[in-house]
Amino acid sequence: MNSQEREAHSERRVVWAVATTGIGPLLLAATEDGLVNVVFHATDAVRDGALSRLASRLGAEPVEAPGSPLLAEAIRQLEAYFAGERRDFELPLDWSLISGFNRQVLRELASGVPYGTVVGYGDLAGRVGQPGAAQAVGVAMGANPLPVVVPCHRVVESDGGIGGFGGGLETKRALLALEGVLPEPLF
């Protein structure tokens, strides 16, 4: 990184807020390029760890700014999604926390697996020209910095199993139930 790039990088602004949702508190962080991170179960300890990682990775100290225009639309769209009033997110996304194969897979997931549908890990691997890379797709899902908005909950095992999920299987089931893929839990 040359000095000009370092200077531009150091001036990057990162804002964050915690949104209350049907699956618990979500930490949302954004840069001027768009939403950069969504973190499940945003208790104080989880939030502090996530903010520390963001500061390290992005080179800027995140600032709490729930009223920021960079976050307001993301919060509004998430509220509508959890209320059953929105199926698609139309937000600028900052992909800077992920690269290479993982970014390729997540972009395909975001654009090619609509609300109320699921895709197998192997099928998604095939869509990005890497048939047989189902395990690598699983790794990409685990590295997703933008869960819910980039719907890694829609990726399941080909044998009908639900697969893993960074937010926990209960959260994955709740998201799939919200989208009508699974029945609502009885209790």
Side-chain angles (χ1 to χ4, degrees):
M1 191 183 298
N2 67 35
S3 63
Q4 191 174 11
E5 289 170 327
R6 209 173 8 262
E7 188 175 306
H9 190 70
S10 69
E11 292 175 16
R12 182 170 226 189
R13 182 159 186 250
V14 183
V15 293
W16 68 272
V18 173
T20 303
T21 72
I23 56 168
L26 293 178
L27 169 72
L28 306 177
T31 68
E32 58 278 352
D33 295 330
L35 192 64
V36 71
N37 203 197
V38 176
V39 179
F40 291 113
H41 315 299
T43 60
D44 291 350
V46 169
R47 180 197 68 212
D48 292 348
L51 293 172
S52 176
R53 283 188 301 280
L54 275 173
S56 171
R57 301 245 349 247
L58 296 175
E61 197 62 43
V63 175
E64 185 173 14
S68 166
L70 296 172
L71 292 169
E73 184 61 15
I75 291 169
R76 191 185 70 69
Q77 288 189 29
L78 277 163
E79 287 172 349
Y81 170 81
F82 283 105
E85 299 163 359
R86 172 174 279 278
R87 293 174 162 235
D88 301 302
F89 293 99
E90 297 167 18
L91 297 167
L93 300 178
D94 178 339
W95 293 94
S96 63
L97 293 178
I98 197 135
S99 62
F101 177 78
N102 291 355
R103 183 187 291 191
Q104 182 184 8
V105 168
L106 290 170
R107 283 181 177 268
E108 173 58 31
L109 174 64
S111 65
V113 183
Y115 182 98
T117 67
V118 293
V119 64
Y121 292 93
D123 294 336
L124 191 52
R127 289 187 189 191
V128 296
Q130 298 290 328
Q135 269 191 305
V137 167
V139 171
M141 295 307 104
N144 182 4
L146 295 161
V148 183
V149 175
V150 177
C152 52
H153 59 277
R154 296 181 190 152
V155 184
V156 298
E157 296 173 351
S158 59
D159 66 4
I162 196 167
F165 195 61
L169 293 183
E170 191 174 305
T171 300
K172 186 171 187 173
R173 284 189 192 97
L175 291 167
L176 291 172
L178 175 70
E179 295 188 9
V181 175
L182 291 176
E184 287 287 343
L186 295 175
F187 44 85

